[in-house]
């Protein structure tokens, strides 16, 4: 019997008002049902926003160091349950347990980092132009915030939003991805266990248009923090814009790795393999384009094919598996579609290109590690996010051409360059149009103490994590304290002052 999960509203675990449910299944074996979950709709969302709204005055008055204490405890609980959660991730979304543990560790790191902000959350104190006047800024919570998350980092991404939102004094309505509601429910249960007051964090599970869209529409929600595809992000931004909500969008990527002739090729190959096929290519920062200088193209390509061919694909809980399945049927179809597009466009299929469905792969959404060669920057497989184990090798003749090709997509999340020339490395840091640049490392591997996000169609100018997290989840209050005992007029009285 699959476990029956509930929504978390006002400190209680409750079903959807309609009583309807949906299932979460193991993408490596769809006979394995992880649980049933409330199929929430507007009425459930409204109940959750009511609870968040009611809890806000009490939570905003709770001193920030005490709010941070709760987050610190959640971090400790995540550490205690790390292995269990990593295995749940493997079962629910397919990444291998080692990567699942890394995902949980990001949540632990975020708790540790952001709990410290409970005793910082700096404002500014600046001089006033007038005598006997004090000028400063203070950070205040935004209010009720709506957090909508994808399935590919089912613990980490929710913690990047929930933890800073809590420390800053906001109350929350959280809608996790329909593909990973069990991971989300475990995280919320740990927040409850850590002592979070009722109504401060509320979760509704369900489908985007039914359980996500009403959060965006509700006037009482003052901010949306969304991570997901650029298509849905655009829709959310335009809807949230009508009620002038603060809207933070972290969207897709088409991340490039540049390999120069002076690169340490061993290192570049290791990075390419991890960047392209880690998490089955289903990372927003996955390396989906490898831009290789023609001087090392043949060697690099041949060796990448050899190494990718050896990757062990399978169910992550089986011994020695390095790459798990895709998340669902739709994603499998998308990857197949792009492989066909690549072939039609004239790219050379060098490895893979097929779904795996026989034997151990029956009942799962498995796909071979796939490499295309001879890819031109105009091709759709070089422009559009595929979100699977497909990488495009793009030959170039110079550094200048490499940068031009790297910057030729609508996205701008992550980027990387392999070179042993410090001048080339620093030029690339300046010239790659991306929110993140790695030197001599693949496009994946962000640490939570630096801001995370991208340019162009990857977002709308916001950044998660690092010091940005506090900025995003607070409003700035500018405060003037006049202790002169008389009316002083800024800009007007100032020129009459003698020094
Ligand atoms: P998605 O389809 O855009 O969904 C993201 C979330 O939005 C899910 O919870 C989804 O619910 C919900 N949603 C869908 N339609 C909605 C609507 N009309 N109103 C409100 N919410 C709605 O993305 P995904 O497939 O889960 O994730 C993959 C994408 O995320 C990729 O493009 C990847 O690059 C991006 N991503 C970006 C970052 C980053 O930080 N830049 C990090 C990770 C992933 P359902 O689950 O029910 O569809």
């Amino acid at each position: 019997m699959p476990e029956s999960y509930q929504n978390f509203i006002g400190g209680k675990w409750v079903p959807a008002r309609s009583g309807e449910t949906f299932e979460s299944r193991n993408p490596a074996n769809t006979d394995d049902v992880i649980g049933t979950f409330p199929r929430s709709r507007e009425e459930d969302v409204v109940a959750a926003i009511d609870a968040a709204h009611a809890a806000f005055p009490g939570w905003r008055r709770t001193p920030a160091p005490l709010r941070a204490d709760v987050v610190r405890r959640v971090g400790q609980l995540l550490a205690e349950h790390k292995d269990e959660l990593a295995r749940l991730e493997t079962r629910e979304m397919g990444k291998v347990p080692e990567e699942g543990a890394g995902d949980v560790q990001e949540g632990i790191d975020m708790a540790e980092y952001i709990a410290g902000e409970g005793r910082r959350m700096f404002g500014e104190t600046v001089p006033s132009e007038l005598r006997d006047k004090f000028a400063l800024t203070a950070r205040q919570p935004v209010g009720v915030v709506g957090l909508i998350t994808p399935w590919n980092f089912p613990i980490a991404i929710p913690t990047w939003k929930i933890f800073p939102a809590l420390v800053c004094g906001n109350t929350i309505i959280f809608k996790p991805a329909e593909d990973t509601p069990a991971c989300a429910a475990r995280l919320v249960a740990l927040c409850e266990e850590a002592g979070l007051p009722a109504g401060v964090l509320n979760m509704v599970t369900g489908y985007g248009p039914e359980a996500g869209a009403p959060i965006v529409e509700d006037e009482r929600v003052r901010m949306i923090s969304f991570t997901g595809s650029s298509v849905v992000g655009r829709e959310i931004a335009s809807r949230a814009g009508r009620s002038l909500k603060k809207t933070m969008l972290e969207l897709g990527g088409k991340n490039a790795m540049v390999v120069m002739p002076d690169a340490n090729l061993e290192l570049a190959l290791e990075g390419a393999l991890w960047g392209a096929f880690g998490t089955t290519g289903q990372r927003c920062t996955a390396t989906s384009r490898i831009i290789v200088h023609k001087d090392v193209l043949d060697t690099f390509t041949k060796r990448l094919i050899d190494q990718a061919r050896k990757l062990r694909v399978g169910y992550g809980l089986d011994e020695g598996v390095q790459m798990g399945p895709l998340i669902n049927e739709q994603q499998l179809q998308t990857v197949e579609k792009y492989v066909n597009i690549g072939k039609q466009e004239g790219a050379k299929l060098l490895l893979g290109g097929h779904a795996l469905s026989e034997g151990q792969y029956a009942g799962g959404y498995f796909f071979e590690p796939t490499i295309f060669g001879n890819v031109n920057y105009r091709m759709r497989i070089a422009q559009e996010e595929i979100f699977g184990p497909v990488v495009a090798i793009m030959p170039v003749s110079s550094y200048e051409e490499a940068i031009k090709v790297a910057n030729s997509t609508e996205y701008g999340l992550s980027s990387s360059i392999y070179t042993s020339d410090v001048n080339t490395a620093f030029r690339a840091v300046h010239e790659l149009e991306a929110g993140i640049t790695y030197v001599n490392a693949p496009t994946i591997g962000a640490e939570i103490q630096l801001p995370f996000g991208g340019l162009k169609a990857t977002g709308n100018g916001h950044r998660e994590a690092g010091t940005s997290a506090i900025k995003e989840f607070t409003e700035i209050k500018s405060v003037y304290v006049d202790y002169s005992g008389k009316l002083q007029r800024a800009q007007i009285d100032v020129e009459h002052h003698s020094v």
Side-chain angles (χ1 to χ4, degrees), residues 315-352:
Y315 180 33
L317 294 184
D318 292 343
E319 191 64 30
V321 166
Q322 294 164 295
M323 194 180 99
L326 290 159
I327 185 68
N328 55 32
E329 172 87 44
Q330 194 191 347
Q331 200 50 40
L332 187 74
Q333 284 170 7
T334 302
V335 172
E336 279 180 328
K337 180 187 88 179
Y338 275 107
V339 168
N340 286 330
I341 289 172
K343 287 196 266 187
Q344 282 158 16
E345 284 177 318
K348 197 165 174 205
L349 183 61
L350 301 172
L351 181 74

Side-chain angles (χ1 to χ4, degrees), residues 345-403:
E345 284 177 318
K348 197 165 174 205
L349 183 61
L350 301 172
L351 181 74
H354 305 100
L356 296 160
S357 54
E358 303 294 319
Q360 59 161 316
Y361 301 120
Y365 307 117
F366 293 97
F367 203 89
E368 293 174 323
T370 298
I371 301 176
F372 274 107
N374 219 11
V375 176
N376 181 299
Y377 76 93
R378 289 194 196 85
M379 294 178 181
R380 284 181 66 191
I381 58 164
Q383 290 292 332
E384 298 172 23
E385 188 180 46
I386 301 174
F387 228 54
V390 181
V391 69
I393 297 182
M394 309 177 73
V396 290
S397 305
S398 65
Y399 164 83
E400 286 73 19
E401 192 188 351
I403 297 295

Side-chain angles (χ1 to χ4, degrees), residues 22 147-153 157 160-161 175-180 206-216 226-233 235-236 239 249-255 282-285 327-328 330-331 385 387 411 413 452-454 458-459 464:
F22 69 98
L147 311 180
I148 302 175
T149 56
W151 46 265
N152 64 339
F153 286 88
I157 291 179
W160 289 7
K161 300 183 191 298
K175 202 304 265 177
E178 70 187 73
D179 286 306
T180 50
Y207 302 142
E210 295 172 1
I215 304 175
V216 181
F226 169 82
T227 300
S229 60
S230 297
V231 173
V232 176
E235 174 71 13
I236 286 181
R239 286 177 178 273
L249 305 172
E250 303 294 341
L251 311 174
K254 189 72 191 172
N255 314 290
Q282 300 172 111
R283 290 180 179 229
C284 52
T285 53
I327 185 68
N328 55 32
Q330 194 191 347
Q331 200 50 40
E385 188 180 46
F387 228 54
Y411 295 107
L413 181 52
F452 183 92
T458 294
E464 289 197 296

